[in-house]
Amino acid sequence: MENNSCIRQQADIKQINRCKDRVAELNGSFDYLSNGLELAGNNVRLKILFLLYEEKQLCVCDLSDILGMTISAVSQHLRKLKDRKLIETERQAQTIFYSLTNEYKNLLEPFFIILDENKILETI
Amino acid sequence: MENNSCIRQQADIKQINRCKDRVAELNGSFDYLSNGLELAGNNVRLKILFLLYEEKQLCVCDLSDILGMTISAVSQHLRKLKDRKLIETERQAQTIFYSLTNEYKNLLEPFFIILDENKILETI
DNA sequence: TGTTTATTTAAGCAAATGCTAAAATACAAT
DNA sequence: ATTGTATTTTAGCATTTGCTTAAATAAACA
């Protein structure tokens, strides 16, 4: 695999091994977390997630209107979020309402709090 | 823009407008945050960021070794992270060391703490 | 039953992503 | 100056993403 022209005579072998162990140990957590962050890392989906956090539940139509996007486009984002269990649905008559799952509500809450207070530029 | 077949006779206009205002108000924060999360949402880059958090600084070669990836591939990830100011560099002789910027260290810390304790499955 | 309302799904496409392999750059040390 | 070490950059390519448009479901209601 490695076309490794870098021999690193100075490498700290202990450090390298410690890191390798750490990565192996936390591998499942990295997968879980990057999976969620990948979805939250899209501008539109981050807004959707935040709006669901604040409003508890919204339907595709609401989001389409709020975000100024096609219903179809929003629906496809919602499907991704639902497939990976970031959100869940509840039907009320003709309308399907989406809401955050508890898992991801907890996981993303630190960000939502920062967003809520619009403190991005102060925190950093 | 809208091929909107959804008239939403039941829509809560107040709610919609409140959400629109909120999105407009926080627009810059959404951009900033999704920009960072997009990068952290990649499995490889999340590991890199976490390793830099734990080890303070590492070079491409170290990361290539730890992650079992080509130096070139890692370097390209590092460039993205550097371009968007998630990490910064410091040269020491031939070796270029990467480290987290303070902004993103603070922003991502909640996740790193969860990862550090490998508590993903407990938190959720 | 058929029609309206709400929503999803499928096909298609331009743009972005993440990698490999090869070439280029940067600096150190002789 | 020349060589060695560390790293970046480029070109190319397969895959994925996010959208549009059009067609397909799903359930409520006349």
Side-chain angles (χ1 to χ4, degrees), chain B residues 67-95:
Chain B
L67 300 171
M69 291 177 63
T70 283
I71 289 179
S72 172
V74 174
S75 179
Q76 288 172 73
H77 281 299
L78 290 173
R79 181 156 66 127
K80 284 195 179 185
L81 293 170
K82 194 187 173 191
D83 283 350
R84 303 212 220 160
K85 318 283 190 206
L86 299 234
I87 61 177
E88 58 199 359
T89 53
E90 190 201 330
R91 175 156 228 144
Q92 290 174 20
Q94 296 107 311
T95 306

mmCIF file of all heavy atoms in Angstrom, chain B residues 67-95:
data_model
loop_
_atom_site.group_PDB
_atom_site.id
_atom_site.type_symbol
_atom_site.label_atom_id
_atom_site.label_comp_id
_atom_site.label_asym_id
_atom_site.label_seq_id
_atom_site.Cartn_x
_atom_site.Cartn_y
_atom_site.Cartn_z
ATOM 1 N N LEU B 67 -2.562 5.720 10.585
ATOM 2 C CA LEU B 67 -3.828 5.437 9.913
ATOM 3 C C LEU B 67 -3.713 4.385 8.814
ATOM 4 O O LEU B 67 -4.708 3.955 8.246
ATOM 5 C CB LEU B 67 -4.394 6.735 9.313
ATOM 6 C CG LEU B 67 -4.670 7.853 10.326
ATOM 7 C CD1 LEU B 67 -5.021 9.150 9.608
ATOM 8 C CD2 LEU B 67 -5.790 7.447 11.278
ATOM 9 N N GLY B 68 -2.465 3.980 8.521
ATOM 10 C CA GLY B 68 -2.274 2.993 7.460
ATOM 11 C C GLY B 68 -2.687 3.507 6.104
ATOM 12 O O GLY B 68 -3.291 2.806 5.297
ATOM 13 N N MET B 69 -2.353 4.776 5.857
ATOM 14 C CA MET B 69 -2.703 5.390 4.578
ATOM 15 C C MET B 69 -1.480 6.014 3.927
ATOM 16 O O MET B 69 -0.507 6.349 4.607
ATOM 17 C CB MET B 69 -3.734 6.502 4.786
ATOM 18 C CG MET B 69 -5.102 6.021 5.200
ATOM 19 S SD MET B 69 -6.179 7.423 5.506
ATOM 20 C CE MET B 69 -6.238 8.191 3.893
ATOM 21 N N THR B 70 -1.577 6.172 2.625
ATOM 22 C CA THR B 70 -0.564 6.878 1.857
ATOM 23 C C THR B 70 -0.274 8.262 2.435
ATOM 24 O O THR B 70 -1.193 8.942 2.889
ATOM 25 C CB THR B 70 -1.091 7.054 0.421
ATOM 26 O OG1 THR B 70 -0.959 5.806 -0.241
ATOM 27 C CG2 THR B 70 -0.359 8.124 -0.329
ATOM 28 N N ILE B 71 0.974 8.674 2.410
ATOM 29 C CA ILE B 71 1.330 10.023 2.845
ATOM 30 C C ILE B 71 0.600 11.058 2.008
ATOM 31 O O ILE B 71 0.094 12.057 2.512
ATOM 32 C CB ILE B 71 2.846 10.231 2.743
ATOM 33 C CG1 ILE B 71 3.542 9.396 3.829
ATOM 34 C CG2 ILE B 71 3.207 11.698 2.890
ATOM 35 C CD1 ILE B 71 5.041 9.519 3.802
ATOM 36 N N SER B 72 0.517 10.790 0.732
ATOM 37 C CA SER B 72 -0.157 11.726 -0.166
ATOM 38 C C SER B 72 -1.619 11.911 0.214
ATOM 39 O O SER B 72 -2.119 13.040 0.269
ATOM 40 C CB SER B 72 -0.046 11.232 -1.601
ATOM 41 O OG SER B 72 -0.844 12.010 -2.448
ATOM 42 N N ALA B 73 -2.299 10.821 0.481
ATOM 43 C CA ALA B 73 -3.717 10.901 0.848
ATOM 44 C C ALA B 73 -3.899 11.700 2.131
ATOM 45 O O ALA B 73 -4.768 12.570 2.221
ATOM 46 C CB ALA B 73 -4.302 9.502 1.000
ATOM 47 N N VAL B 74 -3.052 11.427 3.118
ATOM 48 C CA VAL B 74 -3.140 12.160 4.382
ATOM 49 C C VAL B 74 -2.841 13.637 4.162
ATOM 50 O O VAL B 74 -3.546 14.515 4.674
ATOM 51 C CB VAL B 74 -2.162 11.578 5.425
ATOM 52 C CG1 VAL B 74 -2.151 12.439 6.681
ATOM 53 C CG2 VAL B 74 -2.529 10.147 5.769
ATOM 54 N N SER B 75 -1.841 13.898 3.362
ATOM 55 C CA SER B 75 -1.451 15.282 3.091
ATOM 56 C C SER B 75 -2.606 16.076 2.492
ATOM 57 O O SER B 75 -2.806 17.245 2.813
ATOM 58 C CB SER B 75 -0.252 15.303 2.146
ATOM 59 O OG SER B 75 0.132 16.625 1.863
ATOM 60 N N GLN B 76 -3.348 15.425 1.633
ATOM 61 C CA GLN B 76 -4.476 16.119 1.007
ATOM 62 C C GLN B 76 -5.593 16.406 2.010
ATOM 63 O O GLN B 76 -6.249 17.446 1.937
ATOM 64 C CB GLN B 76 -4.994 15.314 -0.186
ATOM 65 C CG GLN B 76 -4.019 15.382 -1.358
ATOM 66 C CD GLN B 76 -4.390 14.448 -2.500
ATOM 67 O OE1 GLN B 76 -5.339 14.686 -3.226
ATOM 68 N NE2 GLN B 76 -3.647 13.375 -2.664
ATOM 69 N N HIS B 77 -5.779 15.514 2.952
ATOM 70 C CA HIS B 77 -6.737 15.797 4.020
ATOM 71 C C HIS B 77 -6.249 16.969 4.866
ATOM 72 O O HIS B 77 -7.017 17.859 5.215
ATOM 73 C CB HIS B 77 -6.936 14.566 4.907
ATOM 74 C CG HIS B 77 -7.850 13.537 4.323
ATOM 75 N ND1 HIS B 77 -9.168 13.798 4.033
ATOM 76 C CD2 HIS B 77 -7.640 12.252 3.976
ATOM 77 C CE1 HIS B 77 -9.739 12.696 3.538
ATOM 78 N NE2 HIS B 77 -8.829 11.742 3.481
ATOM 79 N N LEU B 78 -4.959 16.950 5.186
ATOM 80 C CA LEU B 78 -4.394 18.021 6.015
ATOM 81 C C LEU B 78 -4.530 19.378 5.334
ATOM 82 O O LEU B 78 -4.804 20.387 5.971
ATOM 83 C CB LEU B 78 -2.920 17.727 6.326
ATOM 84 C CG LEU B 78 -2.672 16.558 7.284
ATOM 85 C CD1 LEU B 78 -1.183 16.237 7.380
ATOM 86 C CD2 LEU B 78 -3.221 16.870 8.675
ATOM 87 N N ARG B 79 -4.364 19.371 4.028
ATOM 88 C CA ARG B 79 -4.501 20.639 3.316
ATOM 89 C C ARG B 79 -5.900 21.216 3.455
ATOM 90 O O ARG B 79 -6.072 22.415 3.690
ATOM 91 C CB ARG B 79 -4.148 20.486 1.840
ATOM 92 C CG ARG B 79 -4.277 21.813 1.107
ATOM 93 C CD ARG B 79 -3.438 21.886 -0.134
ATOM 94 N NE ARG B 79 -3.910 20.937 -1.115
ATOM 95 C CZ ARG B 79 -4.217 21.258 -2.378
ATOM 96 N NH1 ARG B 79 -4.132 22.525 -2.762
ATOM 97 N NH2 ARG B 79 -4.582 20.351 -3.228
ATOM 98 N N LYS B 80 -6.900 20.355 3.317
ATOM 99 C CA LYS B 80 -8.276 20.822 3.476
ATOM 100 C C LYS B 80 -8.493 21.413 4.855
ATOM 101 O O LYS B 80 -9.085 22.472 5.025
ATOM 102 C CB LYS B 80 -9.261 19.658 3.287
ATOM 103 C CG LYS B 80 -9.448 19.253 1.859
ATOM 104 C CD LYS B 80 -10.674 18.366 1.721
ATOM 105 C CE LYS B 80 -10.851 17.980 0.260
ATOM 106 N NZ LYS B 80 -12.092 17.222 0.021
ATOM 107 N N LEU B 81 -8.001 20.683 5.857
ATOM 108 C CA LEU B 81 -8.177 21.142 7.233
ATOM 109 C C LEU B 81 -7.447 22.463 7.474
ATOM 110 O O LEU B 81 -7.929 23.331 8.187
ATOM 111 C CB LEU B 81 -7.661 20.070 8.205
ATOM 112 C CG LEU B 81 -8.463 18.755 8.238
ATOM 113 C CD1 LEU B 81 -7.725 17.697 9.049
ATOM 114 C CD2 LEU B 81 -9.855 18.989 8.813
ATOM 115 N N LYS B 82 -6.304 22.606 6.831
ATOM 116 C CA LYS B 82 -5.540 23.837 7.010
ATOM 117 C C LYS B 82 -6.184 25.002 6.255
ATOM 118 O O LYS B 82 -6.275 26.113 6.775
ATOM 119 C CB LYS B 82 -4.101 23.633 6.523
ATOM 120 C CG LYS B 82 -3.172 24.743 6.987
ATOM 121 C CD LYS B 82 -1.788 24.642 6.373
ATOM 122 C CE LYS B 82 -0.962 25.865 6.734
ATOM 123 N NZ LYS B 82 0.289 25.926 5.951
ATOM 124 N N ASP B 83 -6.625 24.723 5.038
ATOM 125 C CA ASP B 83 -7.275 25.770 4.242
ATOM 126 C C ASP B 83 -8.447 26.398 4.988
ATOM 127 O O ASP B 83 -8.687 27.593 4.901
ATOM 128 C CB ASP B 83 -7.791 25.199 2.914
ATOM 129 C CG ASP B 83 -6.676 24.988 1.906
ATOM 130 O OD1 ASP B 83 -5.550 25.457 2.164
ATOM 131 O OD2 ASP B 83 -6.920 24.347 0.865
ATOM 132 N N ARG B 84 -9.155 25.556 5.718
ATOM 133 C CA ARG B 84 -10.332 26.079 6.420
ATOM 134 C C ARG B 84 -10.045 26.336 7.901
ATOM 135 O O ARG B 84 -10.962 26.400 8.714
ATOM 136 C CB ARG B 84 -11.507 25.115 6.249
ATOM 137 C CG ARG B 84 -11.829 24.882 4.768
ATOM 138 C CD ARG B 84 -13.286 24.636 4.529
ATOM 139 N NE ARG B 84 -13.519 23.603 3.544
ATOM 140 C CZ ARG B 84 -14.650 22.932 3.406
ATOM 141 N NH1 ARG B 84 -15.654 23.165 4.210
ATOM 142 N NH2 ARG B 84 -14.781 22.008 2.470
ATOM 143 N N LYS B 85 -8.763 26.459 8.212
ATOM 144 C CA LYS B 85 -8.325 26.914 9.539
ATOM 145 C C LYS B 85 -8.712 26.005 10.695
ATOM 146 O O LYS B 85 -8.838 26.461 11.822
ATOM 147 C CB LYS B 85 -8.880 28.327 9.842
ATOM 148 C CG LYS B 85 -8.818 29.306 8.693
ATOM 149 C CD LYS B 85 -7.421 29.843 8.485
ATOM 150 C CE LYS B 85 -7.451 31.006 7.468
ATOM 151 N NZ LYS B 85 -6.153 31.148 6.778
ATOM 152 N N LEU B 86 -8.885 24.713 10.422
ATOM 153 C CA LEU B 86 -9.126 23.802 11.547
ATOM 154 C C LEU B 86 -7.802 23.439 12.195
ATOM 155 O O LEU B 86 -7.746 23.119 13.377
ATOM 156 C CB LEU B 86 -9.810 22.497 11.097
ATOM 157 C CG LEU B 86 -11.172 22.413 10.440
ATOM 158 C CD1 LEU B 86 -12.074 21.469 11.167
ATOM 159 C CD2 LEU B 86 -11.820 23.722 10.190
ATOM 160 N N ILE B 87 -6.742 23.457 11.395
ATOM 161 C CA ILE B 87 -5.420 23.125 11.919
ATOM 162 C C ILE B 87 -4.402 24.141 11.412
ATOM 163 O O ILE B 87 -4.677 24.893 10.476
ATOM 164 C CB ILE B 87 -4.975 21.701 11.497
ATOM 165 C CG1 ILE B 87 -4.882 21.593 9.982
ATOM 166 C CG2 ILE B 87 -5.940 20.661 12.039
ATOM 167 C CD1 ILE B 87 -4.379 20.240 9.491
ATOM 168 N N GLU B 88 -3.234 24.142 12.034
ATOM 169 C CA GLU B 88 -2.168 25.040 11.599
ATOM 170 C C GLU B 88 -0.833 24.307 11.636
ATOM 171 O O GLU B 88 -0.745 23.206 12.183
ATOM 172 C CB GLU B 88 -2.131 26.293 12.480
ATOM 173 C CG GLU B 88 -1.936 25.982 13.959
ATOM 174 C CD GLU B 88 -2.361 27.134 14.859
ATOM 175 O OE1 GLU B 88 -2.792 28.183 14.340
ATOM 176 O OE2 GLU B 88 -2.252 26.974 16.093
ATOM 177 N N THR B 89 0.197 24.908 11.027
ATOM 178 C CA THR B 89 1.472 24.199 10.915
ATOM 179 C C THR B 89 2.599 24.923 11.623
ATOM 180 O O THR B 89 2.564 26.138 11.823
ATOM 181 C CB THR B 89 1.891 24.063 9.432
ATOM 182 O OG1 THR B 89 1.872 25.364 8.836
ATOM 183 C CG2 THR B 89 0.951 23.149 8.692
ATOM 184 N N GLU B 90 3.605 24.127 11.974
ATOM 185 C CA GLU B 90 4.836 24.709 12.503
ATOM 186 C C GLU B 90 5.989 23.840 12.027
ATOM 187 O O GLU B 90 6.017 22.630 12.254
ATOM 188 C CB GLU B 90 4.791 24.728 14.039
ATOM 189 C CG GLU B 90 5.928 25.543 14.636
ATOM 190 C CD GLU B 90 6.185 25.160 16.091
ATOM 191 O OE1 GLU B 90 5.227 24.742 16.780
ATOM 192 O OE2 GLU B 90 7.361 25.253 16.506
ATOM 193 N N ARG B 91 6.926 24.463 11.370
ATOM 194 C CA ARG B 91 8.059 23.701 10.843
ATOM 195 C C ARG B 91 9.144 23.542 11.907
ATOM 196 O O ARG B 91 9.503 24.513 12.581
ATOM 197 C CB ARG B 91 8.621 24.421 9.614
ATOM 198 C CG ARG B 91 9.871 23.791 9.059
ATOM 199 C CD ARG B 91 10.083 24.126 7.583
ATOM 200 N NE ARG B 91 10.398 22.921 6.836
ATOM 201 C CZ ARG B 91 10.003 22.681 5.613
ATOM 202 N NH1 ARG B 91 9.235 23.538 4.992
ATOM 203 N NH2 ARG B 91 10.342 21.565 5.003
ATOM 204 N N GLN B 92 9.669 22.312 12.042
ATOM 205 C CA GLN B 92 10.821 22.064 12.912
ATOM 206 C C GLN B 92 11.820 21.286 12.071
ATOM 207 O O GLN B 92 11.646 20.107 11.852
ATOM 208 C CB GLN B 92 10.403 21.268 14.151
ATOM 209 C CG GLN B 92 9.537 22.080 15.130
ATOM 210 C CD GLN B 92 9.013 21.231 16.282
ATOM 211 O OE1 GLN B 92 9.562 20.174 16.575
ATOM 212 N NE2 GLN B 92 7.949 21.700 16.926
ATOM 213 N N ALA B 93 12.843 21.976 11.597
ATOM 214 C CA ALA B 93 13.800 21.383 10.665
ATOM 215 C C ALA B 93 13.075 20.864 9.430
ATOM 216 O O ALA B 93 12.269 21.588 8.854
ATOM 217 C CB ALA B 93 14.621 20.300 11.336
ATOM 218 N N GLN B 94 13.259 19.619 9.055
ATOM 219 C CA GLN B 94 12.591 19.109 7.851
ATOM 220 C C GLN B 94 11.127 18.756 8.079
ATOM 221 O O GLN B 94 10.376 18.573 7.136
ATOM 222 C CB GLN B 94 13.274 17.839 7.318
ATOM 223 C CG GLN B 94 14.693 17.997 6.841
ATOM 224 C CD GLN B 94 15.653 17.370 7.831
ATOM 225 O OE1 GLN B 94 15.557 17.629 9.044
ATOM 226 N NE2 GLN B 94 16.567 16.560 7.345
ATOM 227 N N THR B 95 10.769 18.637 9.311
ATOM 228 C CA THR B 95 9.443 18.117 9.627
ATOM 229 C C THR B 95 8.427 19.231 9.856
ATOM 230 O O THR B 95 8.706 20.201 10.557
ATOM 231 C CB THR B 95 9.519 17.237 10.886
ATOM 232 O OG1 THR B 95 10.511 16.240 10.684
ATOM 233 C CG2 THR B 95 8.177 16.585 11.155
#
